[in-house]
Amino acid sequence: MSRSLLRGLHSRGIEVATVLDEGMVGESDRDQLEYAWQTKRVLYTFNVADFCRLHKEYLTEGKSHAGIIVVYRQRYSVGEQLRLLLRLADLNSANDMINNLLFL
């Protein structure tokens, strides 16, 4: 995740943590999603295929997650990502995001 995107989100009151910040580098995608659930954070990822699969598995297994936002890495500039994420945050509460998969 771009440092400028992180700064932009922080400066607008959005709490953000990276896998590096949380000491989760190298953990499996499932562990990342589980950690996000435990810490009540929506997961934002460029790993579209794996997290779409995990979302489906969680729903099939009756498990919950805090929400997943996926984005194709090359689709949006940092400024566009910031604008779209801020709009999503304005339109969706944490409860709205539970068990949802959104494409940016």
Side-chain angles (χ1 to χ4, degrees):
M1 184 177 261
S2 160
R3 286 286 161 198
S4 56
L5 178 58
L6 292 172
R7 282 190 304 272
L9 291 168
H10 278 287
S11 71
R12 288 159 179 88
I14 305 292
E15 182 185 334
V16 180
T18 67
V19 293
L20 184 60
D21 296 337
E22 298 298 309
M24 297 292 292
V25 173
E27 298 295 329
S28 72
D29 293 340
R30 187 175 283 273
D31 287 343
Q32 300 283 354
L33 191 56
E34 190 62 34
Y35 184 77
W37 172 248
Q38 292 169 4
T39 59
K40 296 177 175 53
R41 290 189 174 125
V42 174
L43 193 139
Y44 180 72
T45 184
F46 297 112
N47 188 348
V48 176
D50 288 344
F51 281 94
C52 285
R53 178 186 49 78
L54 268 175
H55 170 70
K56 183 177 178 182
E57 287 176 13
Y58 266 56
L59 295 182
T60 301
E61 296 167 6
K63 293 182 71 172
S64 292
H65 61 75
I68 304 168
I69 300 170
V70 294
V71 62
Y72 293 100
R73 186 176 299 271
Q74 303 303 324
R75 182 166 283 179
Y76 300 108
S77 69
V78 170
E80 290 170 313
Q81 289 177 62
L82 178 60
R83 183 179 52 79
L84 291 168
L85 287 170
L86 290 171
R87 183 163 185 237
L88 278 174
D90 282 342
L91 297 174
N92 298 280
S93 71
N95 284 335
D96 293 335
M97 292 300 298
I98 293 174
N99 293 329
N100 278 307
L101 171 73
L102 299 177
F103 286 82
L104 195 63

